[in-house]
Amino acid sequence: MSNYKYPILAKPSGITLEQHTKDVMLEGKLLLGHAPFIVQKYTERVGKDLLIRLERVCQYHDLGKGSLQWQLACQKDYEAFLKWQSQNDGTFKEYSKKEYSGVNIRMAGVRHEFESLRLIKNTKLPLPQQVAIAAHHGKLGLNFEDRWINEKMTDFWTAFRSESNRIIEQNSLEIIANKHYEFAGPRGLLQLADHRASAKEDGDFVPDFSSFHYQFPHKEKRGIQKLVENHWKDDLLLVRAPTGAGKTDASLLWAQLQIENKRADRLVIAMPTRFTSSALAINVAENLSDTGLYHSSAWVVKFQEQVEAGVIEKQKAEKIHEFARLLQTPITVCTIDHLLMALTLTREDHHLISFNLANSCLVIDEADFYDDFTQANIMVLLEILKYWSVPVLLMSASLPESVLPSYKKMGYHINKIVEDTSDNLRNRFEIQSIQYYSEVSEIEDLLKQCIEKETAIIYTNTVDKAVLFYDWFAKRNANPILYHSRFTEPDKKDREQELIDALGKKAWDNNRAKGIAILTQIGEMSINISADFMISELCPIDRLTQRAGRLCRFDKSKIGTLFVLVPQKNDLVYPAPYGEYDKRKKTWIPCDAFSKTEKVLETTFYNAEKLVFLLNQVYSSETSFSSKAISNAKELKEYFSYNWLINPMQITSADDTDTNFWRSRNIAPQDTVFVKLPESEYFYNYLDFQSWKLKNSLELPVYLIEKGKKLNMVDIQRVFIKDEEEVIHVIRKGFYNKEIGVRFMEEDQYL
């Protein structure tokens, strides 16, 4: 019998420590019971039983709650809850939102995970389990070093720092990667089991664990689909396939073989942008269940409308969304940035994300080879995945031969790019002209042809140019459809649907295709539309190949027509964004891929074979990264190496793609702007603010926001989130609308 008024408690809700411990242990068993592959891989790589390690940390993680100081505080908080409940007849979940709930525990001056470590000191629990217990509330970081020392936990802290430094000093990424895998397993899984057990105790929804399941939906397999079945054993499989070759089903067939042959237990598909990942997730989900989608605006894409319509409860949607972020779903579609960011280990949950990635098979779909910044980052990712024995399938319509030496240097045994050449000689389109231009008026004859044809796709390299084209057509009542990155997520979704309705497969099948689409880069892969007539500004050959893939996409008997425009400004080629801006000379310097593409393009017919030939001409030499790209990739390696065990001072947000010293992409700094003022400047809590933000904001380059402020197009406003003040940027009325998006150009610049 205890001397406390109530049984030994785990929480002020009244749940006992004994019950909570049983719940967490049960959740841990359930988790690994659905993931036998992870247990097997851990044993093979580490030589230890993950089941036993997880069982022990689940059993011991909250022992410290039984300490006198913590338990007295918890008992007082429980009594306060009972008193509140007798007066309000509410649940603990409702009570926990009150500022005064849990006040005694917060004031107790003791961390229960520290007390847990003290109590197991004589059990000789291995260091990975000690770390798991120490980290399960996210306090194993340099931010909390003083707390460890002040609470007389110096011996543990010193042991953790010593082990961290010992591994770092060996200066081997392979050793660090393998050590991280060993520690991240019990560490990440304990936190997941604890969160799930607590949610169930509170009566909250938690997603079920499910397994990868895929059934090929067609009668016969196509060329590329047969090829991946023949090469599934390759650790890194490079596949080159033209658009429309059935790459999505090929990647799912490949993943099925990895999982059936116990080389992985889930699939992660990494796309170059959030726009492409959203489109693929919707496509994949048609044939599979439990497909997770995660990126910075995935909530709007997948859940916002369902929540607002009452189809799904918000809390349930949030849990499913979080499941995808952690790569817990059998298939997760995300951006490459999400995986790269996890390697920085600047958040506690990055340890679980990276551990789940280590037990996955990965498909990288359409990496941008003109962008050496992104490519250098991907090389770091591939090197770490190699150490974790993660099978990788890299697929692209534009995969140059010159990538092979770089992958070989990392230790991948790879001799060729697998390719289906059965349809390579069919002429797909003809470039009818290559024309230099500065003003829209110089190409009016081409734009008039778009109106005559009634179906056309126009690609511009910048949003400003896309808006100029939109204005030209709008003034002639041609009803163009504009699609770029500077829309709010709900409006972008509406634009996507409008494009599909006008130029999608059903529209063509039913002979009702009609519309002029004006797109920027985000329309290169993410929108499944087609036209027989296309105008495109010059871009690197791999991007141009993707754009041209929208010509006669649904009818192989046709040959598309393409007109290439080379943009100029001040009598110089204007390559933005394919290059770098020279601040001293105040001009854009094109990247090599842009300049070489300009030289090799000619007015003739193009088939897949010729496009590959040009691709290999443009990217003829082994990948050589700029000093910026090399330095940035080195920072990613250092983040992973230095943070493998102890979290750093910098803690990033869930949707961040940059850290203090590393960036996932070489783009101008971005910030959030809002398209309207909130109805009230006061928000109940951060989730309330986030919900409004998702529907009413977009990202813009910081320099453009500053320009908007100078031109009185952007205002600075204050909002209050609970008690905290936050400053936001709001676009003034008239400079944003649902059809055009952000409009920050002077009116007299328009035609």
Side-chain angles (χ1 to χ4, degrees), residues 251-308:
S251 65
L252 296 170
L253 281 168
W254 173 83
Q256 185 177 42
L257 286 165
Q258 304 305 317
I259 292 165
E260 286 178 351
N261 287 279
K262 296 181 170 44
R263 286 160 58 95
D265 85 329
R266 68 197 69 185
L267 167 64
V268 176
I269 304 177
M271 303 292 288
T273 68
R274 57 197 168 106
F275 314 107
T276 51
S277 60
S278 295
L280 182 71
I282 293 165
N283 182 33
V284 167
E286 290 176 1
N287 297 321
L288 300 101
S289 58
D290 298 318
T291 300
L293 172 65
Y294 187 77
H295 54 67
S296 60
S297 54
W299 172 269
V300 173
V301 174
K302 192 159 185 177
F303 295 116
Q304 188 69 36
E305 285 186 4
Q306 294 184 59
V307 169
E308 290 177 354

Side-chain angles (χ1 to χ4, degrees), residues 593-634:
F594 185 94
S595 299
K596 288 181 178 179
T597 300
E598 183 185 2
K599 290 177 183 177
V600 301
L601 277 187
E602 56 185 354
T603 53
T604 186
F605 289 94
Y606 286 81
N607 56 33
E609 183 177 82
K610 185 172 180 63
L611 288 169
V612 170
F613 176 76
L614 294 182
L615 177 77
N616 287 324
Q617 274 191 289
V618 170
Y619 297 101
S620 56
S621 57
E622 183 184 345
T623 306
S624 58
F625 300 128
S626 65
S627 57
K628 258 189 198 177
I630 292 169
S631 175
N632 187 68
K634 184 182 177 186

Side-chain angles (χ1 to χ4, degrees), residues 664-689:
S664 61
R665 297 174 185 271
N666 189 22
I667 58 175
Q670 308 271 311
D671 202 357
T672 301
V673 293
F674 294 84
V675 299
K676 67 177 184 179
L677 288 167
E679 292 180 7
S680 169
E681 63 181 4
Y682 294 96
F683 291 89
Y684 175 70
N685 55 34
Y686 192 71
L687 286 175
D688 190 26
F689 173 71

Side-chain angles (χ1 to χ4, degrees), residues 238-384:
L238 303 181
V239 172
R240 184 164 54 217
T243 54
K247 288 187 293 181
T248 300
D249 280 310
S251 65
L252 296 170
L253 281 168
W254 173 83
Q256 185 177 42
L257 286 165
Q258 304 305 317
I259 292 165
E260 286 178 351
N261 287 279
K262 296 181 170 44
R263 286 160 58 95
D265 85 329
R266 68 197 69 185
L267 167 64
V268 176
I269 304 177
M271 303 292 288
T273 68
R274 57 197 168 106
F275 314 107
T276 51
S277 60
S278 295
L280 182 71
I282 293 165
N283 182 33
V284 167
E286 290 176 1
N287 297 321
L288 300 101
S289 58
D290 298 318
T291 300
L293 172 65
Y294 187 77
H295 54 67
S296 60
S297 54
W299 172 269
V300 173
V301 174
K302 192 159 185 177
F303 295 116
Q304 188 69 36
E305 285 186 4
Q306 294 184 59
V307 169
E308 290 177 354
V311 175
I312 185 172
E313 293 178 13
K314 185 178 180 182
Q315 186 262 345
K316 183 176 180 180
E318 287 170 350
K319 296 286 186 180
I320 296 171
H321 188 57
E322 176 69 3
F323 224 44
R325 191 175 76 81
L326 298 173
L327 308 184
Q328 281 294 147
T329 41
I331 303 173
T332 306
V333 182
C334 62
T335 61
I336 197 75
D337 309 64
H338 181 54
L339 305 184
L340 293 170
M341 193 67 196
L343 295 184
T344 68
L345 302 175
T346 47
R347 291 175 55 86
E348 180 58 41
D349 52 24
H350 283 166
H351 294 269
L352 178 58
I353 294 170
S354 57
F355 183 73
N356 283 338
L357 178 60
N359 295 299
S360 305
C361 54
L362 173 66
V363 172
I364 299 177
D365 198 341
E366 297 296 352
D368 292 329
F369 287 94
Y370 73 86
D371 183 353
D372 70 337
F373 213 80
T374 302
Q375 286 300 315
N377 279 328
I378 289 175
M379 296 294 276
V380 176
L381 172 66
L382 288 176
E383 184 177 356
I384 292 172

